[in-house]
Amino acid sequence: MTVAGGPALGFDDVSLTLGQTDILQQVSLRVAAGGVHALVGPNGGGKSSLFKALLGQVPHRGSIALEWPGERPGVVGYVPQALAFDAGLPMTVMDFMGAMCQRRPVMLGLSRRWKAPVEQALRQVGMWEKAQRRMGALSGGERQRVLLAQALIPAPDLILLDEPMSALDEAGMRVFETLLAHWRGQRTTVLWIEHDLDAVTRLADRVTGLNRQVLFDGAPAEVLTPQRVLALFSNRHRHEEVPVAEEVLE
Ligand SMILES: Nc1ncnc2c1ncn2[C@@H]1O[C@H](COP(=O)(O)OP(=O)(O)OP(=O)(O)O)[C@@H](O)[C@H]1O
């Protein structure tokens, strides 16, 4: 069944504690169906953990709802922040793509069904010419392109992007922007962790500032003010700042 675009997402009072550490505290957030929604915040602020909670990889409190427009759930794509490959690992780009999209053993190669979609995805990210290279021999940017390519098969209705541009060069960034425009056209819901605030302002419909808690949420041009950005990236967490602010006021 073809789904008519991506789902809306509702995070309601989501908290996550790992060991003794509160990673997320009562995060409530709505992601519109078919939009490009960015998550920004300092290192360790809990952005990747929010993805893991959404993907069911870590236990959390509160609720996360995916509201699919059709009768059944659609396809979820995920581009992780990084994937390490041993330099000597005899796995080519093509092997990796095969392992990601089909269930049969990598050594059997790509089935006829997947050959054309894999070639198209690798061409879309400019990696078709390097399809026979070993994954461990790729540059960081090339590997990031391949991670983007694997998320194109099958075409996602919801895509989670964890810093997809961090190692990309200028040409790679143009590839990414083209993909973003493609997903926008398909009404794919995009949830995108990003550190480049200029890119967020230019390319996202909405942005949430996250540092364990939601600090702001809205249209990038409205909410990414210097004051808010400074507060978000200052090292203290919000719950630690409140008593200090009260002391100063007294
Ligand atoms: N298993 C774990 N046990 C305890 N703490 C953990 C565990 N996994 C992650 N953390 C901590 O959770 C915090 C949030 O990490 P997370 O990767 O979600 O942050 P992030 O916002 O994605 O950061 P970055 O921008 O650096 O990618 C970090 O301080 C990290 O050290």
Side-chain angles (χ1 to χ4, degrees):
M1 190 191 72
T2 310
V3 175
L9 308 180
F11 296 84
D12 193 14
D13 239 356
V14 174
S15 296
L16 168 63
T17 306
L18 292 173
Q20 302 293 316
T21 314
D22 288 333
I23 311 290
L24 297 169
Q25 294 172 333
Q26 297 175 309
V27 170
S28 291
L29 162 68
R30 185 144 185 96
V31 176
V36 177
H37 192 124
L39 279 179
V40 300
N43 293 139
K47 304 177 297 298
S48 301
S49 300
L50 194 69
F51 273 14
K52 286 183 191 150
L54 172 59
L55 291 166
Q57 294 174 349
V58 287
H60 61 273
R61 302 184 294 284
S63 72
I64 303 177
L66 282 83
E67 299 158 17
W68 295 99
E71 290 156 25
R72 285 188 242 160
V75 175
V76 180
Y78 173 47
V79 177
Q81 200 170 44
L83 221 47
F85 291 89
D86 191 277
L89 186 74
M91 176 184 261
T92 65
V93 170
M94 210 60 171
D95 294 336
F96 174 74
M97 293 296 285
M100 296 306 289
C101 65
Q102 60 184 11
R103 285 176 194 275
R104 68 181 189 167
V106 167
M107 62 186 179
L108 295 180
L110 267 181
S111 69
R112 196 178 301 172
R113 175 181 170 208
W114 293 110
K115 272 196 177 131
V118 165
E119 178 176 344
Q120 192 192 358
L122 289 175
R123 283 192 189 282
Q124 267 179 282
V125 301
M127 285 299 291
W128 176 240
E129 276 68 34
K130 294 176 181 166
Q132 297 308 328
R133 289 250 178 106
R134 278 181 293 109
M135 286 298 291
L138 298 180
S139 73
E142 288 169 341
R143 207 170 306 146
Q144 205 148 27
R145 287 174 185 235
V146 176
L147 290 179
L148 281 168
Q150 61 76 30
L152 299 174
I153 310 170
D157 301 296
L158 164 65
I159 182 129
L160 308 175
L161 305 167
D162 197 343
E163 293 185 50
M165 303 201 319
S166 59
L168 295 180
D169 59 12
E170 280 292 321
M173 284 191 201
R174 282 197 295 279
V175 164
F176 174 71
E177 290 189 26
T178 305
L179 287 178
L180 215 48
H182 168 74
W183 286 320
R184 198 186 280 286
Q186 299 290 309
R187 302 269 314 141
T188 302
T189 305
V190 179
L191 189 54
W192 168 32
I193 296 174
E194 184 52 59
H195 281 291
D196 182 340
L197 300 184
D198 290 335
V200 167
T201 304
R202 206 156 37 84
L203 301 168
D205 304 318
R206 205 166 172 90
V207 60
T208 299
L210 186 72
N211 189 5
R212 298 192 196 179
Q213 302 168 305
V214 172
L215 268 69
F216 56 77
D217 180 69
E222 285 165 25
V223 298
L224 288 178
T225 60
Q227 208 177 7
R228 283 208 186 94
V229 169
L230 189 66
L232 177 65
F233 287 94
S234 72
N235 281 330
R236 282 184 311 211
H237 294 289
R238 203 181 182 189
H239 68 280
E240 293 161 347
E241 282 180 54
V242 173
V244 177
E246 282 170 357
E247 266 170 33
V248 171
L249 285 174
E250 281 165 15

